[in-house]
Amino acid sequence: MSSSLLLNHPTLADRARGAFYGLALGDAFGMPTQSLSRERLVEQFGRIDKLENAFPDQPIAPGLPAGSITDDTEQAVLVAHLLVDGNGKIEPMAFAQALIEWEASMKARGSLDLLGPSTKQAIERIAAGEDPLRTGRFGTTNGAAMRVTPIGIAFDLRRHDVFIDAVVQSCVVTHNTSLGISSAAAVAAAVSAGLNGASLVEALEAGISMAEAAESRGFWVAGGRIAPRIRHARELMCNCAGHEVADTIYDVIGTSVASQESVVAAFALAFDVQNRGNTIEAALGAAASLGGDTDTIAAVLGAILGACAGYDALPVVSIETIRRVNSLDLDPLVERLLGLRAGTS
């Protein structure tokens, strides 16, 4: 199939836009509650059911207006630019430099939303002269998974080995571990499957399969494996009453920056959407109401749901808000990412 035919395919383009804007929407939903305990969150907001302003002493995003995006979307945009500028390839040193420049720009803006722990450690090792193919050997947090959506848009998971290689190149500098790569592969595969027309349940299964296939890549690290933990989350959600979902995710799965908690939590909420037929807005509100790393959990969830449902299924007013507040236009990037997908299909 030619590039032009792919780019003009309404379902593919709609789902690709849904994935990237769904990521940004989830990110904005979780922005005001990130790093809060459940108790503090409930005290401040009750339950999140719409885009909210961050309160003045929010620990990461003090005073940001409703609809503001965070590092999840900004670093996904960074990955997308590297991909399209490199014709599908991400050169490790270019990636490291882009992350350094991104953090510097955030500091210049007075932001407290800086590089996460795994990425920060890797960048410091690069600055000390270490080989960038080794700097990510301790990265087990969710930084790679939160910014991997452009890989899912640009690469078709049906080209199995090419797809895993693409995921790895987005992880190698900062999250070159079995957990970092496996969690990123799960998210990217669910997104890519959604673009191919998969239902939500099919996309989630694709995520599990790819997490398992990719876990042999990178440096092995101890920790609960991603694929079995997602399967366990699926079982938990099947056996949960609606009012038990949030407590089960918070208490049993976990909502920290660890990839085997927050990424699995996002999949758990997606399984809950499948089971109960919740709206995208309700699902993102549930993610934002969990406590912990809510912006990343909601961003990953939004990307997967948007990839399966498409841009037109996203809540119109909320999307208009994030586009306006952040001067955000992802459409040119989406088009170029789909061009890459056409070239590798």
Side-chain angles (χ1 to χ4, degrees):
M1 184 177 289
S2 72
S3 173
S4 61
L5 283 174
L6 270 176
L7 292 174
N8 291 326
H9 191 300
T11 301
L12 180 67
D14 185 58
R15 289 184 176 215
R17 295 177 75 217
F20 219 152
Y21 281 104
L23 169 86
L25 181 62
D27 186 15
F29 257 87
M31 175 274 296
T33 60
Q34 60 184 312
S35 299
L36 300 184
S37 68
R38 286 281 300 286
E39 293 75 18
R40 179 73 177 91
L41 192 157
V42 170
E43 175 187 313
Q44 185 69 38
F45 296 102
R47 180 180 173 84
I48 300 292
D49 57 10
K50 64 182 185 302
L51 296 172
E52 295 275 6
N53 296 312
F55 52 94
D57 58 346
Q58 211 289 339
I60 305 295
L64 286 184
S68 298
I69 58 172
T70 78
D71 59 331
D72 300 76
T73 306
E74 294 203 5
Q75 290 190 30
V77 168
L78 181 153
V79 168
H81 278 295
L82 289 169
L83 273 175
V84 298
D85 292 344
N87 196 29
K89 300 293 183 183
I90 298 177
E91 198 278 318
M93 286 305 296
F95 192 13
Q97 186 58 41
L99 288 169
I100 291 168
E101 291 174 359
W102 174 82
E103 184 173 59
S105 73
M106 295 295 281
K107 288 179 177 177
R109 286 182 267 167
S111 174
L112 301 177
D113 201 2
L114 306 176
L115 295 175
S118 295
T119 301
K120 185 72 171 176
Q121 183 182 49
I123 295 304
E124 288 172 351
R125 289 177 178 276
I126 286 174
E130 193 166 331
D131 181 351
L133 298 181
R134 291 183 56 80
T135 52
R137 68 188 183 278
F138 303 112
T140 61
T141 52
N142 56 25
M146 80 178 189
R147 59 187 180 232
V148 80
T149 289
I151 299 289
I153 297 173
F155 292 88
D156 190 330
L157 82 166
R158 292 174 295 194
R159 292 199 66 194
H160 186 270
D161 292 341
V162 172
F163 186 84
I164 293 179
D165 286 346
V167 171
V168 169
Q169 72 173 343
S170 75
C171 297
V172 67
V173 172
T174 60
H175 294 79
N176 191 13
T177 64
S178 49
L179 289 176
I181 292 171
S182 182
S183 60
V187 176
V191 168
S192 185
L195 264 67
N196 287 339
S199 66
L200 179 56
V201 67
E202 292 167 340
L204 296 174
E205 289 302 318
I208 294 172
S209 295
M210 196 62 73
E212 209 154 40
E215 68 182 2
S216 61
R217 306 291 288 272
F219 292 87
W220 178 85
V221 288
R225 293 165 54 219
I226 299 299
R229 285 181 64 85
I230 295 176
R231 290 194 186 99
H232 181 54
R234 178 179 59 195
E235 294 171 9
L236 287 172
M237 292 302 99
C238 285
N239 295 319
C240 262
H243 68 278
E244 298 173 329
V245 167
D247 285 340
T248 299
I249 293 174
Y250 189 74
D251 295 336
V252 179
I253 295 172
T255 61
S256 76
V257 298
S259 60
Q260 66 266 45
E261 291 193 6
S262 46
V263 173
V264 176
F267 271 76
L269 285 169
F271 285 122
D272 191 55
V273 170
Q274 176 66 35
N275 294 340
R276 301 180 205 282
N278 303 333
T279 66
I280 292 176
E281 203 158 22
L284 297 181
S289 300
L290 284 175
D293 198 5
T294 51
D295 57 328
T296 295
I297 294 169
V300 169
L301 177 64
I304 294 172
L305 297 181
C308 292
Y311 180 83
D312 288 343
L314 299 177
V316 174
V317 173
S318 295
I319 288 292
E320 288 176 349
T321 298
I322 64 166
R323 294 186 73 143
R324 173 179 50 78
V325 168
N326 304 285
S327 300
L328 187 68
D329 182 8
L330 298 172
D331 292 330
L333 266 180
V334 168
E335 184 175 347
R336 294 184 70 187
L337 291 169
L338 287 176
L340 291 176
R341 190 184 187 93
T344 59
S345 295

